[in-house]
Amino acid sequence: MAELTTKTIMHIDLDFFFVAVEQVLNPELKGKPVVVGGNPDRRGVVATASYEARKFGLHSGMPLLTAARLCPEAIFIEGNFARYREYSKKFMAILNDFSPFIEPVGIDEAYLDVTGFESLHGTIRQMAGEIKRRIRVELGLSASIGIANCKVVAKVASDFSKPDGLVEVRPGSECDFLTPLAVEKLPGVGTSTVKVLKGLGVNTIGDLSRMPLCDLRSRLGVAGETLSRFANGIDEREVLLPGEAKSISREMTFANDSQDHSFLESVLWSQSEKIGAELRKIGKQAGCVVLKLRFSDFSTITRSKSLQKSIDTDKTIFEVGIKLLDRAVKNDKQAVRLIGIGVSKLVEASQQIELFANSDIKLEVLYTVIDKIRDRYGFKALQTGRTMRLKDLRI
Ligand code: TTP
Ligand code: MG
């Protein structure tokens, strides 16, 4: 218990990030309904909208055509991901000045472990105020910050305080803070989980915190246990430094051995998606892909490929994996019991940014969006044709 109450975690998230950067570069856009995502004469979706545009119901993921209909006076901008990346790097550098215990999450948010940092900056609240001030003065952006004794409550608090807010949840008052909030405000509660929870009569985080664990476990599996802890303001997850991961891998053993190539491909794709998301979350790229296979006679092989250019997209990880798989199963005709894919030789993603051709930058934008949507609505919110057939498997 003592351990739980001694941590102090901050969650910082930039407000309407892509639009905010455009407004810094062109101050005439300030205070206006602005949308980044492209022209509404094209198919496509809103990446983000200014708060003036959100008043008309515009939000991330909405088709541009719908956005233009709801808010005809909105200004539509194509966007420039390389610039957002620059601002993101500067944002993370400011945070790094306050604590080396930083876990970047995607492009515009991060957790900071600031346990015991009071004497350096006054109170933690004053420290948060100083972080906001530096982001405003040095970058021209506004940030929202949540402070709590664990990650999940800090994240809910920063979201609650948006825009340009600062909410501190004092130790001991986590449940008072969470109880009245809608259950979908809890990280990890995606669209499909909300449906299950509403079916159980759970509308608020308080309702969720009072649900018997066995009911949650039977309806949501282990995820139900995690959500129950979150709803009670309990989250033991550490702030993970990006440098801590040396390799990332996923593997799966099948109930029945398989020789179905397209099934193996689907599993490999799904695993590549998880690894890609994890790499981007920690801001790394991989220089090596490793495939592991166990056959029906329990013999196990690993095959690896070192890459000239490091990678972090699902597609590139999958493509290397599938080549390794094709080569391995050509030589061994047995059914497969286990398949796994991993990446190693991890380097900072920023080291390679200048090498990116334009098409790579587009892919990177796409994956940032995918990661954001999954972060908000759950991993299965987005499924590709390849993984639809796996929807009942836990990978
Ligand atoms: P968010 O932090 O989710 O959104 P935001 O910063 O625009 O607005 P706020 O935090 O104030 O609610 O995402 C950060 C950026 O990621 C966002 O500016 C654009 C991009 N993004 C997409 O491109 N598509 C999406 O669906 C989402 C959610 C975000
Ligand atoms: Mg944001």
Side-chain angles (χ1 to χ4, degrees):
M1 233 16 227
E3 172 66 17
L4 275 181
T5 48
T6 50
K7 260 197 262 173
T8 312
I9 311 290
M10 246 188 227
H11 180 261
I12 307 109
D13 189 314
L14 297 174
D15 301 322
F16 48 98
F17 178 47
F18 288 7
V19 164
V21 173
E22 297 299 335
Q23 289 175 332
V24 171
L25 300 171
N26 178 6
E28 279 182 16
L29 296 173
K30 282 198 177 146
K32 295 186 179 155
V34 178
V35 169
V36 170
N39 277 321
D41 54 359
R42 286 192 299 124
R43 283 176 56 199
V45 295
V46 173
T48 197
S50 66
Y51 280 66
E52 291 78 10
R54 290 184 199 190
K55 282 189 202 131
F56 292 82
L58 273 58
H59 58 78
S60 299
M62 173 182 274
L64 290 166
L65 276 170
T66 316
R69 193 161 37 77
L70 288 175
C71 182
E73 63 267 45
I75 302 162
F76 290 85
I77 296 174
E78 192 73 44
N80 180 331
F81 191 75
R83 271 192 212 143
Y84 308 145
R85 181 72 129 178
E86 289 243 315
Y87 273 79
S88 172
K89 270 204 264 176
K90 290 183 189 156
F91 162 59
M92 299 295 175
I94 292 176
L95 300 183
N96 205 42
D97 282 348
F98 288 84
S99 168
F101 307 113
I102 171 172
E103 178 180 333
V105 183
I107 196 161
D108 80 331
E109 44 177 311
Y111 291 98
L112 273 192
D113 189 330
V114 291
T115 310
F117 279 47
E118 288 84 351
S119 51
L120 286 175
H121 301 275
T123 63
I124 295 297
R125 202 186 170 84
Q126 284 166 334
M127 177 177 174
E130 178 60 11
I131 292 177
K132 279 164 64 77
R133 192 193 66 79
R134 281 195 54 191
I135 291 171
R136 191 169 53 246
V137 172
E138 293 172 32
L139 306 181
L141 302 177
S142 79
S144 296
I145 301 189
I147 306 168
N149 67 359
C150 65
K151 280 169 124 178
V152 71
V153 180
K155 167 129 178 141
V156 175
S158 76
D159 210 37
F160 181 81
S161 77
K162 270 186 175 296
D164 199 15
L166 171 51
V167 165
E168 181 177 13
V169 182
R170 298 238 173 228
S173 60
E174 293 79 16
C175 288
D176 291 344
F177 169 67
L178 293 174
T179 295
L181 303 179
V183 74
E184 46 268 57
K185 297 279 177 200
L186 201 62
V189 177
T191 330
S192 55
T193 308
V194 166
K195 272 194 209 135
V196 174
L197 290 175
K198 297 251 150 120
L200 292 168
V202 170
N203 293 304
T204 64
I205 300 182
D207 296 340
L208 179 59
S209 72
R210 288 184 294 271
M211 279 298 283
L213 205 51
C214 52
D215 291 351
L216 292 174
R217 211 182 284 133
S218 71
R219 301 301 297 268
L220 297 166
V222 275
E225 291 178 29
T226 308
L227 289 180
S228 174
R229 277 202 305 278
F230 283 5
N232 284 288
I234 300 167
D235 177 8
E236 290 96 359
R237 290 173 305 159
E238 299 285 334
V239 170
L240 277 185
L241 312 191
E244 285 179 352
K246 297 248 181 310
S247 65
I248 302 170
S249 62
R250 294 271 163 165
E251 62 180 48
M252 182 182 204
T253 304
F254 307 129
N256 299 305
D257 299 354
S258 174
Q259 272 185 310
D260 176 349
H261 194 270
S262 76
F263 171 72
L264 295 176
E265 224 176 69
S266 305
V267 176
L268 206 57
W269 173 256
S270 173
Q271 292 172 332
S272 304
E273 282 187 318
K274 299 270 166 59
I275 291 171
E278 189 65 33
L279 274 175
R280 295 186 296 276
K281 186 173 164 204
I282 62 173
K284 297 266 179 173
Q285 294 184 332
C288 183
V289 175
V290 185
L291 178 84
K292 176 173 166 187
L293 291 174
R294 180 164 300 140
F295 296 103
S296 45
D297 67 354
F298 281 86
S299 61
T300 306
I301 60 164
T302 56
R303 296 286 177 267
S304 63
K305 170 127 186 77
S306 288
L307 309 166
Q308 282 183 339
K309 184 184 158 197
S310 56
I311 55 175
D312 68 357
T313 63
D314 314 355
K315 185 166 167 282
T316 44
I317 297 163
F318 172 73
E319 281 168 356
V320 179
I322 203 78
K323 275 195 196 129
L324 293 170
L325 175 70
D326 287 344
R327 217 173 296 151
V329 292
K330 209 189 296 164
N331 299 328
D332 203 323
K333 299 272 180 254
Q334 289 191 69
V336 174
R337 239 186 109 66
L338 170 153
I339 187 166
I341 184 165
V343 292
S344 61
K345 295 191 188 158
L346 306 190
V347 297
E348 292 299 324
S350 53
Q351 286 178 14
Q352 288 236 342
I353 189 85
E354 58 278 13
L355 301 178
F356 277 7
N358 211 8
S359 63
D360 286 336
I361 290 204
K362 280 196 195 122
L363 253 189
E364 208 184 331
V365 177
L366 174 69
Y367 282 114
T368 304
V369 173
I370 288 175
D371 294 341
K372 271 283 176 188
I373 292 172
R374 284 183 162 153
D375 191 41
R376 196 168 287 187
Y377 304 111
F379 204 88
K380 291 199 173 166
L382 276 176
Q383 297 248 343
T384 57
R386 274 200 190 95
T387 52
M388 278 311 278
R389 63 181 296 191
L390 305 175
K391 64 185 188 322
D392 299 324
L393 286 177
R394 278 183 189 280
I395 292 184

